[in-house]
């Protein structure tokens, strides 16, 4: 069945946009994942237009789930959110489509939280972006929402063509919550910002999605532990058909519960500067290849990942070299250090 990645745009060059989208079509087995339809998306923000009656069934770029009804005109929005206990409670995660977790200084982590199908009113606390975000955001041409960044990082993201909206740059929607402590008190009224964004052009899929529900994992994986150095470990438990981050900094009612957790092991290099406390600032190398684990339906599949450039999507293969598609749904990607001293992964 031909599944076409569509994003509605109010730009005049509609014919050219559709041609570009058609070139990005995926041939996937099955007829969709009706149980988790994103039909409620327009309720949570974003103007939209109806899909063509003659178009092939469309799917959301960040979930692979069927698009029913209208699609937003805004591009995917990627909010950089703190992931330490100082961020409690994190806001907005429960309405995300996809989240990646990346290493920052001190062995701690930061989240890149992708919103497309639903735009929450409140997100945060918003923190600074990193050079690691170039390869994480560019595949879907997302707009990064950030407090700011080091000068060298801003220069690199601009050179890479990454669009970002920052508090330092005076973007709409930011405010300081007086009940929180700085710098963990910068919050964002995300819908206010989205109203200011230019209409979206075509967006390719973030992952190679499968809509038939098939998954070749065989090893039990109802408990996962992803350790990012000595500073942070993300723990997962398979409950009720989804994975639950048991040590999340979000309120239990507002947590992101992915259908799939992916762990990729990547190289780490210096980002080219030290933080204000003099700590090494790591940069995750998300191009090339490495080991990968895919967790879905309480099972694990070990294989490899590859990504040929910052704008390329993540691709996965199993141990035999066969391409692996990711089950359609919500996904969390752990971007972990390759060095075992810096990051360990265990599951059972």
């Amino acid at each position: 069945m031909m599944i076409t990645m569509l994003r509605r745009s109010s730009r005049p060059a509609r014919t050219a946009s559709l041609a570009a989208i058609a070139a990005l079509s995926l041939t996937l087995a099955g007829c969709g994942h009706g149980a988790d339809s994103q039909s409620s998306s327009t309720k949570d923000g974003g103007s939209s237009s109806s899909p063509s009656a003659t178009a092939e069934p469309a799917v959301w770029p960040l979930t692979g789930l069927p698009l029913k009804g209208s699609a937003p005109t805004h591009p995917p929005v990627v909010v950089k959110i703190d992931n330490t206990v100082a961020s409690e409670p994190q806001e907005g995660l429960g309405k995300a489509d996809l989240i990646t977790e990346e290493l920052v200084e001190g062995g701690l982590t930061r989240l890149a939280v992708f919103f497309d199908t639903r735009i929450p009113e409140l997100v945060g606390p918003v923190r600074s972006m990193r050079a690691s975000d170039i390869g994480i955001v560019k595949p879907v041409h997302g707009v990064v929402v950030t407090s700011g960044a080091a000068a060298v990082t801003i220069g690199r993201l601009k050179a890479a063509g990454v669009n970002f909206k920052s508090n330092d740059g005076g973007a709409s929607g930011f405010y300081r919550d007086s009940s929180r402590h700085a710098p963990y008190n910068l919050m964002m009224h995300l819908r206010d910002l989205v109203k200011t964004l230019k209409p979206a052009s075509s967006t390719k899929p973030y992952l190679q999605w499968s809509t038939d529900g098939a998954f070749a994992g065989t090893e039990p994986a109802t408990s996962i532990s992803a350790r990012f150095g000595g500073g942070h470990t993300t723990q997962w438990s398979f409950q009720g058909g989804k994975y639950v981050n048991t040590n999340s900094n979000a309120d239990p009612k507002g947590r992101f519960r992915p259908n799939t957790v992916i762990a990729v092991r990547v190289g780490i290099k210096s980002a080219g500067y030290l933080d204000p406390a003099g700590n090494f600032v790591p940069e995750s190398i998300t191009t090339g290849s490495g080991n990968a684990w895919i967790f879905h339906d309480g099972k694990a599949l070990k294989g490899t990942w590859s990504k040929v450039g910052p704008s390329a999507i993540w691709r996965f293969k199993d141990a035999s070299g066969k391409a692996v598609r990711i089950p359609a749904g919500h996904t969390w990607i752990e971007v972990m250090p390759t060095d075992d001293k810096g990051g360990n992964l265990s599951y059972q």
Side-chain angles (χ1 to χ4, degrees):
M1 179 179 183
M2 185 67 71
I3 304 294
T4 306
M5 308 304 299
L6 289 182
R7 175 170 299 281
R8 286 322 198 184
S9 174
S10 60
R11 292 178 177 174
R14 183 61 182 150
T15 302
S17 178
L18 285 174
I21 295 170
L24 294 168
S25 297
L26 300 177
T27 302
L28 302 178
C31 295
H33 193 306
D36 284 326
S37 166
Q38 301 300 304
S39 59
S40 64
S41 62
T42 56
K43 185 184 299 183
D44 286 310
S47 59
S48 58
S49 57
S50 299
S52 169
T54 60
E56 291 288 340
V59 298
W60 291 101
L62 296 176
T63 65
L65 295 173
L67 169 61
K68 295 183 179 180
S70 54
T73 58
H74 62 74
V77 182
V78 188
V79 185
K80 295 306 302 291
I81 294 183
D82 187 79
N83 197 39
T84 67
V85 294
S87 69
E88 294 181 351
Q90 294 166 327
E91 297 286 352
L93 270 62
K95 290 188 176 180
D97 290 317
L98 180 147
I99 294 177
T100 68
E101 183 175 13
E102 65 191 71
L103 182 70
V104 292
E105 53 273 19
L108 303 175
T109 65
R110 192 155 295 172
L111 306 180
V113 185
F114 289 67
F115 298 97
D116 191 23
T117 64
R118 300 182 294 178
I119 302 298
E121 167 59 27
L122 180 65
V123 296
V126 182
R127 297 300 306 279
S128 59
M129 56 190 176
R130 297 288 187 274
S132 303
D133 296 319
I134 295 173
I136 289 173
V137 173
K138 278 186 71 67
V140 289
H141 307 292
V143 176
V144 181
V145 177
T146 175
S147 62
V152 63
T153 300
I154 290 176
R156 290 186 59 187
L157 268 77
K158 286 183 175 179
V162 175
N163 186 6
F164 60 90
K165 303 295 182 181
S166 71
N167 180 57
D168 292 347
S172 301
F174 286 103
Y175 74 98
R176 295 284 178 180
D177 183 344
S178 60
S179 68
R180 296 171 181 255
H181 298 289
Y184 308 99
N185 63 346
L186 182 63
M187 308 298 286
M188 158 63 73
H189 289 300
L190 193 57
R191 294 180 193 174
D192 290 347
L193 176 67
V194 166
K195 292 175 184 177
T196 71
L197 300 179
K198 293 181 179 180
S201 58
S202 60
T203 300
K204 61 186 178 182
Y206 196 79
L207 299 169
Q208 289 185 299
W209 301 110
S210 170
T211 59
D212 63 1
F215 180 65
T218 56
E219 294 184 90
T222 57
S223 177
I224 308 167
S225 179
R227 184 169 71 86
F228 289 79
H232 177 76
T233 299
T234 300
Q235 299 172 340
W236 296 96
S237 175
F238 185 68
Q239 301 175 16
K242 295 187 177 184
Y243 283 94
V244 177
N245 181 189
T246 56
N247 63 335
S248 171
N249 293 306
D251 183 274
K253 294 182 179 180
R255 292 181 181 179
F256 181 72
R257 291 175 168 79
N259 304 92
T260 304
V261 174
I262 300 173
V264 295
R265 300 294 291 274
V266 304
I268 298 293
K269 66 178 182 180
S270 171
Y273 64 98
L274 301 178
D275 74 0
N279 296 315
F280 168 83
V281 178
E283 179 181 343
S284 298
I285 305 171
T286 57
T287 58
S289 60
N291 292 327
W293 290 259
I294 301 169
F295 303 96
H296 179 78
D297 198 27
K299 299 180 178 63
L301 173 67
K302 183 179 179 180
T304 59
W305 67 269
S306 64
K307 198 170 182 295
V308 297
S311 296
I313 68 173
W314 300 93
R315 296 180 183 273
F316 300 92
K317 293 183 178 180
D318 63 18
S320 68
K322 181 181 177 181
V324 175
R325 293 185 182 274
I326 306 303
H330 296 89
T331 304
W332 181 296
I333 304 177
E334 305 281 17
V335 185
M336 302 180 64
T338 297
D339 185 354
D340 281 335
K341 294 180 181 179
N344 289 317
L345 180 73
S346 61
Y347 56 90
Q348 60 184 9

